[in-house]
Amino acid sequence: GGIDANVAHGLDLLAGSAWNCSTGQMGTSASVVAARPEFNMTQVSCCAVLQLYYNPADVERALAMFLAAPPALLKSPLFRYDLTELAAQVLSNKMLETYHSFQAAYDAGEQAGVAAAGATLLEIVTDMDALLSADALHLLGTWLRDAAAWASNEQEASLYSYNARNQVTLWGPGDSVLTQYAYKLWGGLVKAFYQFIAYVESCMAKGQPFDRAHWDTTIEEFEVSWCRSNDSYAVAPVGDTLAQAQHVYQKYCAQGAVLVLGTS
């Protein structure tokens, strides 16, 4: 029992920052990793903007506080869920920053800069997927499995699988204006940027401008095809949440810039 001072301090920090939106926008700022990737993005969906209204360093500091929790708390599945969400937000913020660098390098025609920022984006997505896949409540596989479990025959199973996939991506047909309306940060569902970066780098290597219309068609066709596919995904966690969250902090958070109570 009792309240851990580090965790309490982290919660207070978030309450005055990431959890305290006063801009009038609809909900908190969205995660760029969930977007249908393109250039000049300002929103992930019709109702979710990308611009941050808080200092991202606050989330990094809160993650440090959470990681300093006592062993008994760190073993709690509920606490590990929060730890996953917090570390995922750190990665989302880092990805948004790197996305802007990717955009700037492309606008300046700097192929090396695009390659460097693109590699960093893919690294962040990979780390995000590993983090999410370590928690049982952040798995795409369980969502799809549970949807199919309601079916009484193969035809129903196919329909329910399609609806489950569609709900967390397109939310309608390929050209739906509600795409990503109900996006989720789940293990197995955060890899759309792989194709975008490869597409942009291919255009630059060929000396061709980015073809927005062709890209839109390409990614739309991929998303529709994915919704109709029957690929399987993990239904059990892979890895350890605490280890993954520690990895995120050590790799992406500025060392020495965080104060943990009792270690200042």
Side-chain angles (χ1 to χ4, degrees), residues 24-104:
Q25 67 189 58
M26 205 182 299
T28 58
S29 298
S31 176
V32 67
V33 72
R36 174 186 281 183
E38 59 187 61
F39 281 124
N40 302 306
M41 288 192 294
T42 59
Q43 296 185 207
V44 169
S45 70
C46 64
C47 310
V49 301
L50 283 173
Q51 183 173 347
L52 298 182
Y53 52 84
Y54 60 88
N55 184 349
D58 291 340
V59 180
E60 297 175 18
R61 292 170 60 203
L63 177 59
M65 303 297 176
F66 274 51
L67 287 171
L73 192 54
L74 289 171
K75 293 178 182 178
S76 164
L78 291 177
F79 186 77
R80 286 187 169 221
Y81 178 92
D82 289 342
L83 195 60
T84 300
E85 290 283 306
L86 198 52
Q89 191 61 58
V90 167
L91 291 175
S92 293
N93 294 345
K94 291 296 182 183
M95 190 162 181
L96 181 60
E97 177 185 327
T98 309
Y99 165 75
H100 289 315
S101 298
F102 184 81
Q103 168 95 50

Side-chain angles (χ1 to χ4, degrees), residues 135-149 164 186-187 233-237:
D135 183 70
L137 298 177
H138 287 87
L139 300 179
L140 171 64
T142 54
W143 169 256
L144 298 179
R145 178 201 63 193
D146 293 349
W186 284 342
Y233 294 85
V235 295

Side-chain angles (χ1 to χ4, degrees), residues 4 7 22 93 179 209:
D4 177 71
V7 175
S22 57
N93 294 345
T179 182

